[in-house]
Amino acid sequence: QVQLVESGGGLVQAGGSLRLSCAASGRTLSTYGMVWFRQAPRKEREFVAGISRTGGTTNSADSVKGRFTISRDNAKNTVYLQMNSLKPEDTAVYYCAASVSGYYSKYSRYDYWGQGTQVTVAS
């Protein structure tokens, strides 16, 4: 079993940047496909980005393409989400999740979830 803890959220002005981190403990992160989801108030949870076990393949939602980058450092047991050119509509709680089967798409089910970190983008 793996425990996931997100950090790096906060309040930022539109156009600004944040880097979220998802630190894993309990098991080595390299065995999991990893993703970021987000959920805004009164909206459904939304896939943001995913990354393969080795980090060699990534995918992301159209709404964040060109602005957000997912990466991972398996030696540090951490996954990152670099968010640039932030918009007010990016405001949400951001969650990282892990797939034992190595999945990293928006269509997959995930086995472990973090508690989330709040990102607020002011206009």
Side-chain angles (χ1 to χ4, degrees):
Q1 187 167 347
V2 65
Q3 292 78 44
L4 303 174
V5 178
E6 301 95 336
S7 62
L11 173 64
V12 64
Q13 294 294 315
S17 297
L18 283 174
R19 188 176 80 157
L20 305 184
S21 298
C22 172
S25 61
R27 289 196 66 180
T28 180
L29 199 62
S30 62
T31 62
Y32 299 96
M34 297 295 298
V35 294
W36 287 94
F37 278 80
R38 66 186 181 186
Q39 188 164 20
R42 299 174 298 281
K43 291 189 176 181
E44 291 188 358
R45 189 170 60 194
E46 175 189 22
F47 172 83
V48 176
I51 189 165
S52 62
R53 286 170 168 146
T54 64
T57 306
T58 64
N59 58 69
S60 60
D62 288 343
S63 58
V64 306
K65 270 190 172 66
R67 300 188 299 123
F68 292 11
T69 302
I70 187 171
S71 63
R72 66 192 300 161
D73 185 339
N74 286 339
K76 294 184 178 180
N77 251 20
T78 303
V79 175
Y80 304 99
L81 186 68
Q82 178 66 44
M83 305 187 296
N84 299 327
S85 302
L86 282 159
K87 304 175 181 179
E89 51 263 44
D90 295 319
T91 295
V93 177
Y94 284 71
Y95 300 90
C96 65
S99 165
V100 172
S101 299
Y103 300 132
Y104 52 99
S105 84
K106 64 180 180 179
Y107 301 109
S108 302
R109 292 184 63 184
Y110 292 91
D111 303 287
Y112 303 104
W113 291 81
Q115 84 291 346
T117 185
Q118 176 72 47
V119 172
T120 303
V121 184
S123 57

